[in-house]
Amino acid sequence: MKLSFHGADRAVTGSCHLIECAGRRVLIDCGLYQGSRELAEENAEPFGFDPADVDCVLLTHAHLDHCGRLPLLVKRGFRGEIITTAASRELARLVLLDAAHLQEEEAQHRSRKAARRGNRHGGGPLYSVLDALNTFDSFGRNAVYGKPIEIATGLRATFLDAGHILGSASVFLELEEAGRRCSVLFSGDLGNAGRPLLRDPVTPPASDVVVMETTYGNRLHKPLPPSVDELYEAVTDSFKRGGNVIIPTFALERAQELLYYLREGIEQGRLTRSLQVFLDSPMAISATEIFERHPECYEPKTAELFREGRDPFHLPGLHFVRETAESIALNSIRGGAVIMAGSGMCTGGRVRHHLKHNLWRDDATIVFVGFAANGTLARQIVDGAKAVTIFGEQIPVRARIYTINGFSAHADQAELLAWHKQTHTSRTFLVHGEEATMREFAARLAGTQVEMPAVGQAFEL
Ligand SMILES: [Zn+2]
């Protein structure tokens, strides 16, 4: 039995881990590296194993940093089965088509640039929309939380609710080879307990080996209620000053959670009923529709709202903005609007246009509600940059900046430690975290051997 690491090693993106047991190869996630240009280039590197030899991929959830290299895996010869939950399958479809479309656009942009310099090739896309479509043929059985799936003799997988985004799971693997047994638990991304839409992560089973994320391994989140207060204050204050509120938003989960809270705010009289909210992200709109199709994943109180026929995401002044022309029209709104657009880390997408038009205005407010990786535009603004470059233009930062971290979809240090303790494991591999964070987290783990694997490193189990 062997465990090797092929992404999100001493880094937050590119999750990809390989289990070899009883002559089979099972991949847990196949995510994209994101954040900086150097990281983006790593995506095109060889995987460190032959995709044609992989029998199965177990996908923990549909975030791009966990599923984003699947089309590349298929393009390079993978012919096995991809197993995930029904909700993750629908979300992954959305996420991968969007990613493939972006890859194609960026490749076209590069080749136009290369042509201007007299070069014939700017390099093709990492994968195309066609590759993404091919990938969907590999999606096989749907995993149901808590129900074991036989992958092969000596290899059984159980998906456990991780409470991170819709359909997200930890994966518990029971391995057997030549009479030896070993259980390996992959945390996937773990959710932050007590949020309104999803259930809390389930109590993990006792496991011999644990591979766990450490995104917030060195931080405690602010509690949720003051974060909701801060959101309402940011909106109310910005409207008083006459400006707009821009919220760079992750399309999955965060966008729906914010809609949920804005609706609650209006219903409780804490926000004005005349609030105009623009969800300026075709992907977030589609994701909201997928959410509406999977109430089985919900926390009981929200599931109840649905049963009563009430939509937890609907508010009176909500506008879904799919068309580019409508998105551009938002640039002329001077105040009184909440604009939610992707990408969450401002590395791409429509939010950059809204930042360009609002960041320099002292009546505007920018609200960050998610993780901002090193090297991203979001991180520069969060870190207090006086000016930033957007589309080649220097834009001074005069808007009021809020960083509200209580909405995190990730468990914080205390939650991660509590989760780990329940696994009673004696061997822990830390992944999916920045190295300094990981070290701080490792120092707090007791009674377990801790490894922080490097890319390509392999371990006998
Ligand atoms: Zn995630």
Side-chain angles (χ1 to χ4, degrees):
M1 291 179 220
K2 209 163 109 181
L3 168 61
S4 55
F5 295 87
H6 306 279
D9 304 306
R10 301 180 198 179
V12 184
T13 61
S15 277
C16 188
H17 323 300
L18 180 68
I19 281 279
E20 293 170 65
C21 171
R24 303 287 174 146
R25 287 184 175 80
V26 177
L27 212 56
I28 290 81
D29 291 340
C30 193
L32 201 71
Y33 290 104
Q34 294 170 278
S36 63
R37 184 170 301 163
E38 296 75 42
L39 280 172
E41 282 168 7
E42 270 185 62
N43 289 313
E45 297 289 310
F47 282 103
F49 52 83
D50 185 351
D53 291 341
V54 176
D55 298 280
C56 177
V57 180
L58 305 174
L59 178 63
T60 63
H61 66 289
H63 272 151
L64 198 58
D65 61 325
H66 291 258
C67 71
R69 277 189 291 165
L70 282 173
L72 191 64
L73 191 78
V74 172
K75 186 176 163 182
R76 292 182 180 171
F78 170 74
R79 292 295 171 266
E81 181 184 12
I82 302 171
I83 300 177
T84 193
T85 61
S88 290
R89 183 189 183 121
E90 277 200 69
L91 288 175
R93 187 183 169 84
L94 179 68
V95 166
L96 292 178
L97 280 175
D98 181 69
H101 179 68
L102 273 180
Q103 302 278 359
E104 286 187 351
E105 267 185 1
E106 277 167 21
Q108 276 169 12
H109 179 73
R110 279 197 305 273
S111 69
R112 276 198 299 270
K113 225 168 152 181
R116 283 195 293 271
R117 279 198 237 101
N119 298 334
R120 280 204 22 225
H121 295 293
L126 190 62
Y127 50 80
S128 64
V129 168
L130 199 61
D131 295 317
L133 288 170
N134 278 336
T135 307
F136 305 134
D137 292 338
S138 302
F139 278 82
R141 287 168 284 179
N142 280 342
V144 175
Y145 289 135
K147 270 198 166 168
I149 296 178
E150 290 290 331
I151 294 167
T153 313
L155 246 163
R156 209 152 72 133
T158 309
F159 283 62
L160 304 164
D161 196 342
H164 166 60
I165 63 165
L166 192 81
S168 68
S170 299
V171 176
F172 181 61
L173 276 182
E174 292 166 280
L175 311 175
E176 192 174 346
E177 188 181 82
R180 251 199 78 231
R181 286 164 189 251
C182 181
S183 58
V184 187
L185 177 61
F186 291 87
S187 68
D189 284 0
L190 290 168
N192 183 3
R195 282 153 67 236
L197 300 180
L198 302 179
R199 292 183 290 258
D200 294 350
V202 297
T203 305
S207 312
D208 299 318
V209 176
V210 165
V211 179
M212 77 179 292
E213 66 121 330
T214 49
T215 318
Y216 284 111
N218 65 344
R219 272 178 45 188
L220 295 175
H221 295 321
K222 280 184 213 157
L224 198 50
S227 295
V228 176
D229 294 345
E230 214 180 333
L231 172 70
Y232 294 165
E233 182 205 305
V235 172
T236 311
D237 173 62
S238 186
F239 288 3
K240 268 191 213 140
R241 288 182 290 122
N244 293 319
V245 179
I246 309 297
I247 314 182
T249 316
F250 293 91
L252 311 187
E253 204 63 38
R254 201 61 44 81
Q256 292 75 29
E257 209 168 283
L258 290 171
L259 289 180
Y260 176 94
Y261 282 120
L262 293 173
R263 180 191 55 78
E264 290 261 290
I266 291 170
E267 280 184 9
Q268 294 166 3
R270 300 181 64 190
L271 293 174
T272 165
R273 279 198 81 76
S274 63
L275 188 70
Q276 298 298 302
V277 179
F278 298 88
L279 184 57
D280 184 19
S281 159
M283 185 145 119
I285 296 166
S286 299
T288 307
E289 287 162 1
I290 294 174
F291 263 71
E292 288 168 337
R293 284 202 287 276
H294 290 276
E296 81 279 3
C297 297
Y298 290 171
E299 197 273 329
K301 248 172 73 189
T302 307
E304 182 68 38
L305 274 184
F306 253 103
R307 271 196 300 278
E308 288 168 3
R310 292 167 63 201
D311 184 337
F313 308 123
H314 185 75
L315 44 153
L318 174 64
H319 309 269
F320 282 164
V321 182
R322 279 196 189 267
E323 300 296 328
T324 311
E326 290 174 65
S327 174
I328 293 169
L330 299 182
N331 295 336
S332 58
I333 302 179
R334 284 286 156 258
V338 174
I339 302 173
M340 296 160 56
S343 70
M345 299 197 208
C346 313
T347 49
R350 294 177 176 179
V351 76
R352 292 185 300 170
H353 292 278
H354 300 307
L355 288 175
K356 186 178 148 186
H357 288 275
N358 287 279
L359 208 46
W360 58 274
R361 300 168 61 95
D362 57 13
D363 55 7
T365 299
I366 320 293
V367 182
F368 290 96
V369 288
F371 185 76
N374 272 333
T376 58
L377 176 58
R379 183 68 164 256
Q380 289 173 35
I381 301 171
V382 166
D383 284 347
K386 294 274 172 282
V388 291
T389 307
I390 303 175
F391 302 119
E393 213 177 298
Q394 276 275 106
I395 312 284
V397 180
R398 296 199 195 101
R400 204 164 278 185
I401 311 295
Y402 284 78
T403 309
I404 309 180
N405 79 8
F407 292 113
S408 179
H410 281 274
D412 68 4
Q413 186 191 56
E415 291 174 303
L416 289 173
L417 286 171
W419 183 89
H420 181 270
K421 200 170 174 200
Q422 287 163 327
T423 67
H424 299 286
T425 187
S426 56
R427 199 170 183 197
T428 307
F429 294 91
L430 301 183
V431 295
H432 202 290
E434 283 167 7
E435 194 171 340
T437 305
M438 227 175 238
R439 289 196 186 284
E440 277 184 55
F441 186 71
R444 290 178 171 262
L445 292 176
T448 183
Q449 180 192 340
V450 183
E451 304 273 4
M452 289 179 270
V455 181
Q457 218 175 339
F459 299 82
E460 285 298 329
L461 297 181

